[in-house]
Amino acid sequence: MKVFTPVLVFQKIPSGKGRDKSSIQCLECFGKNLYIGSKEGLIEYITLNSVSGEESLSVREVGKRQMGRSGAIGQLTAVPFLNHLLVLWDGSVTALNMFSLEPIPGLKKIQNVSLFYVTESVVQTDSVELIAASAKRKIVSVYNVCVDRWECVRQVALPQEPVALAAHGTCLCVATCDRYLLHDYQSQTTLDLFQHNLGKQNIIANKCGKGEFILNGPGSLGMFVMKNGTSQYPPVQWPDGVLDAAVHFQYVLALQNQTVHIYSILDQQLKQTVLLQSAKSLVSTEESVFVVADKEIHRLSPVPLEDQIQELVKRQRVDEALTLLDRVQDLLPKDSYKDLHKNVICTSGMIKFYREAFVEAKELFMKGELDPREIISLYPAMPVVSEDFTPQTTAVSNAKDLWTLSRDDWPTFRQYLSFLDDFLREVRPTGQGQICPQDIDSALFKLYLEQAEYEKLDQLVSSQNDCNLQMCVPDLEQHKRFFTLGLLYQSQGQHFNAIQTWVKIVEDQSEEPLHISVFQHIVNTLSNLKHKPIIWKFVDWVLQRDQEAGIQIFTKMHASSHIMFAPEEVLTILTNYAVAMILYLEFLVNELHSKEEKHHAMLVSSYIKWILQSTEIDYGNETGREEMRHKLQMLLWQSSLYNADTIYEQITSSSLHVEKAILLGKSGKHKKALQVLVYEEKDQQAAVSYCWRTSAGRDGKFTQGMFLTLLQIYLESTHHVIAAVDLLNQNAASFDLVSVLRVLPGSWSLKLVLRFLCESMRGTVHDKRMRGLEMSLAKVETLRHKHALMEATHEKIRVDRGCVCHSCQKRLTGPEFLRRPTGELTHVSCHGGESGH
């Protein structure tokens, strides 16, 4: 894989006089400025016309300086903010002006230097620190370098001669002939890292990041070491004989004599190999890496990160692309990163999709915010409604033709259809789904219809949806799914078309098996509808078919709190529908608790009318009549919002004797009501129930009067003697004994009323005892309150054997005594004697 592009930057021109022994020894780069040190002690200063681009670069020579007749330039380092170029030649460091290459006055040579490193000063902002190592003296000297002076501020002794050197702040990374070590010259702490058995030309200690170094470790391992001795990246296994190494995040470059090996720091894998002749060192800058060879200088320019990631995606190395993308997120523009990330995620999802790893594919599509139309367009016969849509997903090598799959391998294709269902349902409520709601809903519609998943289809079209009517309506008609068609019309707000479709199903008696109660669905729809004209259009049709179901149109409106019809308006509609009229009046009275006399009176009249008509027309419907009479009687008892006399006139000539009695009772004519029950209804139990019902909530005297009246009615006829005896014996507690004895015939024997007398006497005695018990309990309660009052309002009095009566001077032996306002204690009897005197 191509991650760097090599470009020839500089080529040394042969002198033409015999064998050319000159060669490039070192290089320093700052911006467009290149400083080249030769083996013959020559420094060449050139500039490049551009630092980017892959085309051949034009080079302009700016200046030269010969340091001496012989001796190689060992090292060059530019210090831009001082305008210095530091040169290591002939065992000493010399400071030149980096533009004129003239020596800096006042900065004398630093002698006995084998290698040096320049780092920022931790103390002063107008200077740098020069770390100079002496192999001969086995020391490292720290110099503070300013514009016109430098001075040694510290020296560090080494156990062996230094071979390689790098620094960050006050931390030195030093390589000797057999080990690597870290030394902080400020804290004077040293950390041995590891030993090695490398030749001098293979020992590497280069700075590669903030507080991080790259070392050539044992076993041909490129080791990343932080200044605290730890590592934040695993080592890289590179080839033997590496001469130099450089890091250009996220890659590490290892140089052999003929080859540059480029590894990823993220996964430690070899990414690219660049062949170069006689290469000897690497120089890393922010923009690129320069490779120094004997006669040439090459620049390795990194391929833009976006292009690298796109290339990985094209090769379906998506995991590698994701790893790279996540690590370089901060290096990319926010929008660019977001687009790349989505593309990589979605491509990975496509690979999983065609591998039939559907769960992972769905997660990746959701995470990558894939346009759902990209998936829909892959399926045969699946509509993409949007006219402006063009597929844009990256092609993958393992792609399948789903058209062919649907013909040749139906079981596998069914799995793809199941995935489409899961994916579209999950993406539907998200932001992705809102991009193309009509495409998603129409695709789901088509999927459910073609796969005969009618339950899912009905759920889709009965909820809010964006199905395309022009496409969906003909399909439903073709499949004869008329109920579903009505649901679709309804969800799209076309209520009239929806109900008209369902009406046709009912009238044609072609109800679909899964929707047996289409009629009930029509009723429910009308009851929730907020469009009066449509309700008016269909309400008569509904009531003609089923009055009990039809009335729900109006009763359910109240339950859903959107009342569109006033009660009087509904009653007008129901004039010709007796059953519906009764049900609606019951709803007004019993559920809404209407207090209008008209409603109560109409309900009573409707009950009576229905009962009387049923008696004349339908003799066999005895159960229905009894239920209706029970409702009528309950209403007559419970309601007071009707004119009893008017209702009584309606049933005077009928056989509704119980109802007559209730109405007479409402008018206060209790004796006449009881006579109707005894003589006309001939129902003794009804008469007793009347007494109890009328007496409910009244005092005992009224109850005794009601039962005494009933007894007197029984005693008026010799045919009701047994009824009178049963009344007395079964309801003894409801009679006043004295009043009963006054009205009983003298001809009755004692045995006849013995049970009644015993029950009455027992009740009388019980009442007397209960009153006595209640009185006693009341006294106790009074004493308890007096005691509580005394404790709350008087201080405690201590009485012991030494306490005597203030009057008689005898001991207080009992618990009862009196206390005078002045505090003296006396016997109760003594206080009485004093009062008598």
Side-chain angles (χ1 to χ4, degrees):
M1 180 178 171
K2 187 177 181 181
V3 294
F4 282 89
T5 303
V7 178
L8 179 63
V9 173
F10 174 82
Q11 187 173 21
K12 195 168 184 64
I13 301 174
S15 60
K17 297 178 181 180
R19 185 180 178 185
D20 188 5
K21 296 182 180 180
S22 66
S23 64
I24 300 172
Q25 189 69 20
C26 59
L27 173 71
E28 173 65 329
C29 176
F30 170 68
K32 296 182 179 182
N33 306 292
L34 292 185
Y35 301 91
I36 302 170
S38 71
K39 190 176 181 179
E40 293 73 31
L42 177 67
I43 300 174
E44 294 183 70
Y45 173 26
I46 63 175
T47 59
L48 304 178
N49 67 338
S50 175
V51 295
S52 61
E54 299 185 4
E55 299 178 357
S56 298
L57 302 172
S58 60
V59 176
R60 184 173 68 89
E61 184 177 331
V62 179
K64 294 183 180 180
R65 183 173 186 83
Q66 183 71 45
M67 297 299 294
R69 292 185 178 181
S70 63
I73 304 296
Q75 192 175 341
L76 295 171
T77 300
V79 186
F81 86 95
L82 296 178
N83 288 336
H84 290 358
L85 177 67
L86 303 183
V87 183
L88 175 61
W89 175 75
D90 195 24
S92 62
V93 176
T94 304
L96 306 178
N97 182 285
M98 62 183 296
F99 298 109
S100 67
L101 301 184
E102 295 295 324
I104 304 296
L107 294 180
K108 296 182 179 181
K109 294 182 180 180
I110 301 174
Q111 303 289 340
N112 295 320
V113 177
S114 54
L115 63 158
F116 70 88
Y117 194 89
V118 175
T119 183
E120 295 179 1
S121 173
V122 296
V123 179
Q124 297 175 285
T125 59
D126 60 346
S127 65
V128 296
E129 290 187 345
L130 170 66
I131 315 296
S134 173
K136 183 177 180 180
R137 300 172 59 190
K138 298 180 183 179
I139 62 170
V140 172
S141 302
V142 180
Y143 290 85
N144 183 259
V145 182
C146 298
V147 174
D148 55 357
R149 60 186 173 83
W150 54 25
E151 61 178 333
C152 182
V153 295
R154 192 180 301 272
Q155 288 189 332
V156 178
L158 298 175
Q160 296 174 318
E161 64 178 77
V163 179
L165 174 67
H168 177 80
T170 61
C171 179
L172 307 179
C173 180
V174 182
T176 66
C177 59
D178 66 350
R179 72 190 61 201
Y180 291 96
L181 58 89
L182 295 175
H183 178 81
D184 190 304
Y185 61 78
Q186 189 172 42
S187 63
Q188 295 295 314
T189 57
T190 301
L191 176 65
D192 282 329
L193 295 175
F194 47 81
Q195 295 183 345
H196 66 82
N197 57 356
L198 302 170
K200 284 189 176 182
Q201 72 274 14
N202 302 121
I203 298 174
I204 300 171
N206 294 332
K207 184 181 176 184
C208 63
K210 191 172 183 180
E212 188 175 23
F213 308 97
I214 178 73
L215 313 177
N216 189 10
S220 299
L221 290 176
M223 309 286 286
F224 298 93
V225 179
M226 301 294 292
K227 64 180 183 179
N228 59 4
T230 63
S231 178
Q232 61 179 341
Y233 299 109
V236 174
Q237 183 70 62
W238 54 35
D240 295 334
V242 172
L243 302 175
D244 200 1
V247 171
H248 193 283
F249 190 80
Q250 65 287 352
Y251 299 103
V252 57
L253 293 82
L255 175 68
Q256 287 182 305
N257 184 256
Q258 307 291 333
T259 312
V260 179
H261 301 273
I262 303 173
Y263 299 86
S264 171
I265 295 176
L266 306 180
D267 61 9
Q268 299 78 52
Q269 299 300 311
L270 179 65
K271 302 299 178 182
Q272 186 180 359
T273 301
V274 180
L275 298 177
L276 296 170
Q277 295 293 323
S278 303
K280 57 177 64 176
S281 65
L282 300 173
V283 178
S284 180
T285 67
E286 290 185 2
E287 295 82 12
S288 58
V289 177
F290 289 90
V291 183
V292 179
D294 280 345
K295 304 292 183 180
E296 299 172 343
I297 297 174
H298 296 265
R299 188 182 69 187
L300 301 181
S301 300
V303 175
L305 289 172
E306 293 92 332
D307 296 343
Q308 293 183 42
I309 294 167
Q310 292 287 10
E311 182 64 25
L312 287 171
V313 171
K314 288 180 181 178
R315 300 186 183 196
Q316 298 187 30
R317 292 159 61 177
V318 289
D319 293 337
E320 193 176 338
L322 279 175
T323 302
L324 174 59
L325 185 59
D326 290 341
R327 291 299 184 91
V328 301
Q329 178 178 354
D330 295 338
L331 305 178
L332 295 171
K334 187 175 181 180
D335 292 340
S336 177
Y337 168 79
K338 188 175 181 181
D339 293 340
L340 279 171
H341 190 264
K342 287 182 180 180
N343 187 23
V344 175
I345 292 291
C346 292
T347 302
S348 178
M350 279 295 180
I351 295 171
K352 300 288 186 183
F353 174 72
Y354 287 117
R355 289 176 184 171
E356 299 171 21
F358 295 119
V359 174
E360 298 174 43
K362 182 175 70 173
E363 292 177 356
L364 290 169
F365 290 151
M366 298 294 294
K367 185 178 179 181
E369 299 180 4
L370 179 69
D371 187 333
R373 292 171 292 188
E374 298 283 357
I375 299 299
I376 296 172
S377 63
L378 299 175
Y379 285 78
M382 279 296 165
V384 175
V385 181
S386 305
E387 296 179 356
D388 59 343
F389 171 73
T390 303
Q392 296 180 347
T393 53
T394 303
V396 293
S397 61
N398 67 333
K400 299 176 184 178
D401 183 2
L402 297 187
W403 290 80
T404 304
L405 192 66
S406 65
R407 294 193 304 268
D408 300 341
D409 189 355
W410 179 252
T412 301
F413 184 67
R414 281 292 298 270
Q415 296 180 29
Y416 278 91
L417 292 176
S418 178
F419 166 80
L420 180 64
D421 180 17
D422 292 341
F423 172 65
L424 292 181
R425 281 193 290 113
E426 188 161 334
V427 80
R428 192 170 180 248
T430 66
Q432 297 166 252
Q434 298 309 308
I435 298 174
C436 51
Q438 194 173 55
D439 293 278
I440 292 175
D441 288 352
S442 297
L444 284 172
F445 172 89
K446 195 82 172 179
L447 176 65
Y448 295 152
L449 185 62
E450 296 297 335
Q451 300 303 310
E453 296 186 65
Y454 297 129
E455 186 174 349
K456 287 185 177 181
L457 178 62
D458 287 351
Q459 289 176 359
L460 172 68
V461 301
S462 60
S463 60
Q464 184 177 354
N465 65 82
D466 292 280
C467 291
N468 185 286
L469 284 179
Q470 293 180 351
M471 180 196 76
C472 297
V473 171
D475 286 349
L476 288 173
E477 291 175 344
Q478 181 182 353
H479 286 75
K480 300 187 183 303
R481 304 300 302 177
F482 297 109
F483 181 80
T484 305
L485 177 59
L487 292 176
L488 179 60
Y489 279 135
Q490 183 181 21
S491 66
Q492 299 281 346
Q494 298 186 19
H495 301 288
F496 181 84
N497 289 341
I499 299 173
Q500 188 69 49
T501 302
W502 294 326
V503 167
K504 185 178 179 182
I505 295 175
V506 176
E507 290 181 342
D508 294 345
Q509 296 183 349
S510 59
E511 296 189 12
E512 300 163 35
L514 295 179
H515 307 288
I516 297 173
S517 184
V518 177
F519 180 81
Q520 184 61 46
H521 192 84
I522 295 173
V523 172
N524 295 339
T525 301
L526 289 171
S527 66
N528 290 302
L529 205 57
K530 299 180 180 180
H531 198 271
K532 254 187 174 183
I534 297 179
I535 299 175
W536 279 113
K537 178 73 176 178
F538 293 102
V539 70
D540 280 321
W541 179 87
V542 173
L543 290 170
Q544 288 169 9
R545 286 190 166 270
D546 189 338
Q547 294 188 44
E548 292 185 10
I551 199 61
Q552 296 175 18
I553 295 173
F554 304 105
T555 58
K556 285 187 176 181
M557 284 183 182
H558 290 269
S560 60
S561 302
H562 72 279
I563 304 171
M564 300 184 61
F565 294 90
E568 303 307 319
E569 192 174 5
V570 177
L571 292 173
T572 302
I573 298 171
L574 301 179
T575 303
N576 299 323
Y577 305 102
V579 175
M581 175 73 81
I582 292 174
L583 292 172
Y584 185 70
L585 288 169
E586 287 178 345
F587 173 75
L588 292 177
V589 172
N590 299 330
E591 300 294 331
L592 300 185
H593 307 292
S594 172
K595 300 301 180 183
E596 292 192 29
E597 182 177 338
K598 178 182 178 181
H599 296 158
H600 290 250
M602 287 182 68
L603 182 55
V604 172
S605 299
S606 298
Y607 281 150
I608 294 171
K609 184 178 180 181
W610 189 92
I611 294 168
L612 295 178
Q613 288 180 349
S614 176
T615 304
E616 296 175 1
I617 299 172
D618 189 2
Y619 298 101
N621 190 15
E622 186 64 30
T623 304
R625 281 195 297 274
E626 289 301 320
E627 290 179 0
M628 195 65 76
R629 286 195 66 184
H630 177 72
K631 290 182 180 180
L632 174 59
Q633 293 168 16
M634 291 296 294
L635 179 61
L636 292 175
W637 277 117
Q638 295 173 357
S639 175
S640 59
L641 299 175
Y642 61 88
N643 190 307
D645 295 334
T646 303
I647 302 300
Y648 184 80
E649 292 177 0
Q650 296 180 24
I651 60 173
T652 302
S653 59
S654 70
S655 59
L656 303 178
H657 305 304
V658 176
E659 290 78 359
K660 293 178 187 177
I662 297 172
L663 292 169
L664 289 170
K666 286 286 184 177
S667 302
K669 303 172 183 178
H670 299 298
K671 183 174 182 179
K672 188 175 181 181
L674 289 171
Q675 287 174 338
V676 169
L677 293 173
V678 172
Y679 295 122
E680 296 184 31
E681 184 64 20
K682 296 181 173 58
D683 188 343
Q684 299 171 9
Q685 186 58 45
V688 174
S689 297
Y690 178 86
C691 292
W692 283 117
R693 187 66 181 261
T694 307
S695 303
R698 310 290 286 271
D699 57 19
K701 189 174 182 181
F702 182 84
T703 303
Q704 291 172 356
M706 287 298 301
F707 276 91
L708 184 63
T709 301
L710 180 57
L711 177 61
Q712 290 174 330
I713 293 172
Y714 284 155
L715 295 177
E716 290 175 356
S717 170
T718 56
H719 300 292
H720 295 99
V721 173
I722 297 176
V725 173
D726 290 341
L727 180 67
L728 289 169
N729 292 336
Q730 294 173 7
N731 303 278
S734 302
F735 286 96
D736 176 57
L737 179 58
V738 176
S739 300
V740 172
L741 293 176
R742 287 175 181 167
V743 300
L744 285 179
S747 59
W748 281 28
S749 65
L750 180 61
K751 184 178 180 180
L752 198 62
V753 293
L754 181 60
R755 178 182 171 186
F756 165 72
L757 293 174
C758 291
E759 290 289 337
S760 296
M761 289 301 295
R762 187 181 294 112
T764 302
V765 173
H766 175 74
D767 289 344
K768 182 179 180 181
R769 289 175 177 174
M770 288 299 295
R771 285 194 295 273
L773 180 61
E774 290 171 356
M775 188 174 294
S776 298
L777 290 172
K779 288 181 179 179
V780 171
E781 185 67 14
T782 302
L783 288 175
R784 189 178 69 79
H785 286 297
K786 286 184 177 180
H787 175 72
L789 179 63
M790 181 176 287
E791 284 191 337
T793 56
H794 295 77
E795 64 183 17
K796 294 182 179 180
I797 302 170
R798 182 178 179 84
V799 180
D800 53 25
R801 294 179 180 179
C803 292
V804 296
C805 176
H806 182 74
S807 297
C808 67
Q809 298 300 311
K810 294 182 180 180
R811 291 182 180 179
L812 299 174
T813 57
E816 295 183 353
F817 56 88
L818 295 178
R819 181 178 184 272
R820 291 178 178 177
T822 54
E824 296 87 358
L825 305 180
T826 64
H827 290 113
V828 177
S829 58
C830 292
H831 177 74
E834 290 178 359
S835 299
H837 293 299

